[in-house]
Amino acid sequence: MVKINKNYLKLPGSYLFSDIAKKVNAFTSNNPDKKIIRLGIGDVTLPLAPVVIDTLHKSVDEMGKQETFKGYAPDLGYEFLRNAIVENDFKARGVNIKADEVFISDGAKSDSGNIGDIFDVDNVIAVCDPVYPVYVDTNAMAGRTGDYDAATSKWTNVIYMPCLEENGFAPVIPEKTPDIIYLCFPNNPTGATISKDKLQEWVDYANKVGAVIIYDAAYEAYISEEDVAHSIYECEGAMTCAIEIRSFSKNAGFTGTRLGYTVVPKELKVDGVTLHSLWARRHGTKFNGAPYIIQAAGASIYTEEGKKQIKEMVGYYMNNAKIILEGLKDAGYSVSGGVNAPYIWLKTPTGMSSWQFFDHLLNEAHVVGTPGCGFGPSGEGYFRLTAFGSLENTKEAIERIKAM
């Protein structure tokens, strides 16, 4: 008789953003005349940059000619893209990553969920709280998180690192020693960052206790402050303890075209085994590569014109973030984020839970955000808004919120 993976049955409810979609769909069905402004899901709204579109057209034409047609991509990804990544994302910042340590994928979300395949089920994970749900949920699916306690909204075998207002929404090194540490900076959902010196402390700690850091740098393009590292490999010793995951979704608008990459240094070993070799085996077995036309488009953002256009795109969203941040402050809200990240993290009005504020915002202002509790127990009483809407909708949303 067939048996299911019972770990899935332990998951509470459905995926956070599925719950949001259901509530919004119900509201829209009952109020078809109301214009909804969506500042909840972190999906981009600007069209792809012209250099990306031009490259896509050119690449599609290449696929229609025998002499330039491409079939399966190489396991690690095309060399032209990996070389561009190494030169621009790492060497330009003094980091000596090699091209064969870069694995091209269809996005950071996939890699964040799949990276657990190379680790034993008995490893204990530590996560920031609040945190992007994929880190915890995919470990729960693998059977690594123990049981879910509905009373505390926590898993019994997960080390939670509370990111609270009093510590600048940044994690502190936990008392219990973890095996795998998930860090995301700039952070989703809080928009918080830590200085390079503070990040160095995490690297030193991981090397000391023999832990591995999974470092999500999906939002590094939004960093504006000088003392914030763009890559964990800017820290001494990170090559022996850290895996870095990156995305083309937020910086270049590839949420619909799907492209990302993961860096696994060959120096990173566990019990004498290189994690690079394990990830290469997993990658080659379970993944057939991102399409050639998408990888070519990804490489185009590293051209001089591509860099210029991507910088303008990021600037557009960060201008939205500034409008949201300042508008909410003017309205009397306690807010953070929005400086090094396209997310604004606000405290809900006194007495309102995260979901109550979601309903209040939807019903009164017809604006959609994300309840903080969906990111973990320490997110209760907070709320996330994104800067990925249009300028016009962002301005209108803030005016509606002010008028509530």
Side-chain angles (χ1 to χ4, degrees):
M1 182 177 177
V2 175
K3 296 180 180 179
I4 62 170
N5 181 347
K6 293 183 179 180
N7 293 312
Y8 279 70
L9 303 181
K10 297 180 180 179
L11 292 165
S14 57
Y15 186 52
L16 170 63
F17 297 106
S18 298
D19 290 337
I20 291 173
K22 291 175 183 176
K23 279 180 169 282
V24 175
N25 289 338
F27 179 86
T28 302
S29 177
N30 294 326
N31 302 274
D33 58 322
K34 304 298 184 183
K35 175 188 173 184
I36 300 293
I37 297 179
R38 300 172 188 266
L39 300 180
I41 295 176
D43 194 2
V44 296
T45 54
L46 290 178
L48 293 168
V51 67
V52 172
I53 294 298
D54 290 344
T55 305
L56 285 171
H57 283 302
K58 179 183 176 183
S59 302
V60 168
D61 289 340
E62 290 177 17
M63 296 295 279
K65 299 175 183 178
Q66 184 69 47
E67 60 272 21
T68 53
F69 172 79
K70 301 288 193 302
Y72 290 125
D75 278 358
L76 272 66
Y78 285 99
E79 192 171 338
F80 64 79
L81 176 56
R82 290 185 286 114
N83 285 337
I85 287 169
V86 165
E87 290 297 322
N88 292 277
D89 290 345
F90 297 103
K91 283 190 177 179
R93 299 192 179 280
V95 176
N96 188 29
I97 291 295
K98 298 177 179 62
D100 63 356
E101 294 175 314
V102 176
F103 295 80
I104 306 300
S105 71
D106 60 353
K109 181 177 182 178
S110 299
D111 284 355
S112 295
N114 293 330
I115 196 69
D117 283 6
I118 66 174
F119 295 104
D120 190 271
V121 71
D122 291 333
N123 284 296
V124 176
I125 69 167
V127 297
C128 297
D129 174 31
V131 73
Y132 183 42
V134 169
Y135 308 150
V136 175
D137 286 3
T138 54
N139 275 286
M141 291 171 179
R144 199 174 282 119
T145 57
D147 296 313
Y148 184 73
D149 183 351
T152 61
S153 299
K154 291 182 178 181
W155 293 87
T156 57
N157 201 38
V158 171
I159 297 173
Y160 290 87
M161 303 182 291
C163 299
L164 308 172
E165 185 176 2
E166 51 264 37
N167 58 14
F169 299 105
V172 295
I173 291 174
E175 294 182 6
K176 183 179 178 182
T177 303
D179 301 304
I180 301 170
I181 303 166
Y182 285 83
L183 296 178
C184 173
F185 296 112
N187 183 262
N188 176 17
T190 67
T193 55
I194 59 175
S195 68
K196 183 178 176 180
D197 288 343
K198 287 294 183 183
L199 184 58
Q200 182 68 57
E201 291 179 11
W202 281 98
V203 170
D204 293 342
Y205 170 74
N207 278 317
K208 178 182 177 181
V209 302
V212 171
I213 296 173
I214 309 298
Y215 192 76
D216 186 345
Y219 300 94
E220 68 80 27
Y222 292 85
I223 294 171
S224 63
E225 295 180 323
E226 290 295 327
D227 66 339
V228 178
H230 287 253
S231 167
I232 195 169
Y233 301 121
E234 293 177 43
C235 296
E236 185 178 352
M239 297 284 194
T240 58
C241 70
I243 293 172
E244 183 163 303
I245 298 173
R246 293 229 192 167
S247 170
F248 285 71
S249 288
K250 312 303 181 179
N251 61 337
F254 276 46
T255 54
T257 42
R258 308 306 307 149
L259 189 65
Y261 67 88
T262 289
V263 178
V264 186
K266 293 180 181 177
E267 294 178 46
L268 178 53
K269 298 180 180 180
V270 174
D271 291 332
V273 178
T274 61
L275 295 189
H276 180 279
S277 64
L278 297 184
W279 185 242
R281 186 68 169 89
R282 192 266 173 209
H283 208 64
T285 301
K286 291 190 174 185
F287 184 62
N288 258 344
Y292 165 71
I293 60 174
I294 305 301
Q295 293 196 47
S300 74
I301 75 167
Y302 295 109
T303 64
E304 287 305 311
E305 188 59 32
K307 291 177 184 177
K308 177 183 176 182
Q309 292 174 11
I310 296 308
K311 184 177 180 180
E312 291 174 355
M313 183 179 294
V314 169
Y316 179 93
Y317 291 131
M318 288 310 292
N319 182 57
N320 285 350
K322 183 178 180 181
I323 291 170
I324 297 171
L325 187 66
E326 293 180 352
L328 291 176
K329 284 182 179 179
D330 289 344
Y333 288 91
S334 175
V335 292
S336 60
V339 176
N340 295 295
Y343 295 122
I344 291 80
W345 188 243
L346 65 108
K347 186 179 291 187
T348 60
T350 303
M352 275 196 185
S353 70
S354 296
W355 275 113
Q356 286 172 338
F357 187 69
F358 175 92
D359 292 334
H360 179 61
L361 203 62
L362 178 60
N363 289 309
E364 300 300 322
H366 318 317
V367 172
V368 178
T370 310
C373 62
F375 298 101
S378 291
E380 181 55 81
Y382 288 89
F383 202 77
R384 191 193 76 175
L385 293 176
T386 84
F388 288 123
S390 69
L391 175 61
E392 294 75 18
N393 279 347
T394 298
K395 288 180 177 179
E396 184 177 346
I398 293 304
E399 291 306 312
R400 290 186 189 182
I401 293 173
K402 285 182 176 181
M404 286 197 310

